[in-house]
Amino acid sequence: MYGTRENRHYLKEKGIHYAGKPLGRPKKETLANKAELKAAKKQRHADYVQRIPIEGKFGQGKSGYGLNRIKAKTAKTSYAWINSIFLVMNLLVLLRSFLPSAVIYDLIRQLKIQIGRYYDDGNQNGSLVF
């Protein structure tokens, strides 16, 4: 989401904290506001650092699990696909705590092969064929 005035207003209405820089010319640093500016910069950095793992998971979903290859015709179907992909990603996190890594690697490889076949075959009826 871009930090436009309209988007910032929308986020403020919904009570969502926006982590970007404020619009306009930066405030001039004086003795009175030096600590305030430093605290605001530190907060922006903390918000940015907090987003890194979240963005990483989206990248992992796109590159590893086909999140960027969803071509559903309706919003409802797209929503179902996205939820399914994140469900699989979360299930794999749970599996890592119970199974040896070699078994998990083989399961992931087989799953990616099946998903790739689904997209390569041009399957239009919405069902995975295993």
Side-chain angles (χ1 to χ4, degrees):
M1 176 177 263
Y2 293 106
T4 62
R5 290 183 194 281
E6 184 180 333
N7 289 342
R8 288 169 192 253
H9 182 68
Y10 175 79
L11 292 173
K12 192 172 186 178
E13 282 178 352
K14 300 294 181 184
I16 300 170
H17 172 71
Y18 179 71
K21 285 186 174 184
L23 291 176
R25 185 180 176 120
K27 292 182 181 177
K28 188 173 184 179
E29 187 175 311
T30 62
L31 292 175
N33 70 356
K34 186 173 184 176
E36 181 185 334
L37 292 176
K38 189 173 183 178
K41 185 176 181 179
K42 189 174 182 178
Q43 180 64 44
R44 278 196 310 273
H45 179 71
D47 292 342
Y48 174 73
V49 168
Q50 189 178 16
R51 288 285 309 166
I52 292 172
I54 297 166
E55 296 295 336
K57 276 297 170 189
F58 279 105
Q60 181 184 9
K62 287 179 179 182
S63 66
Y65 297 94
L67 195 58
N68 61 339
R69 297 188 295 186
I70 296 173
K71 292 183 174 68
K73 291 186 179 183
T74 65
K76 195 173 183 181
T77 310
S78 294
Y79 187 74
W81 270 102
I82 292 167
N83 283 333
S84 300
I85 289 171
F86 278 107
L87 174 69
V88 168
M89 290 171 64
N90 287 323
L91 288 174
L92 289 172
V93 169
L94 285 174
L95 274 177
R96 286 187 190 104
S97 62
F98 296 113
L99 295 175
S101 61
V103 174
I104 294 171
Y105 176 76
D106 190 47
L107 286 171
I108 292 171
R109 188 175 55 80
Q110 290 297 324
L111 181 64
K112 286 181 181 179
I113 289 170
Q114 293 299 331
I115 290 173
R117 284 184 189 154
Y118 172 81
Y119 284 109
D120 291 343
D121 291 344
N123 191 348
Q124 297 296 323
N125 62 5
S127 61
L128 285 172
V129 179
F130 286 96

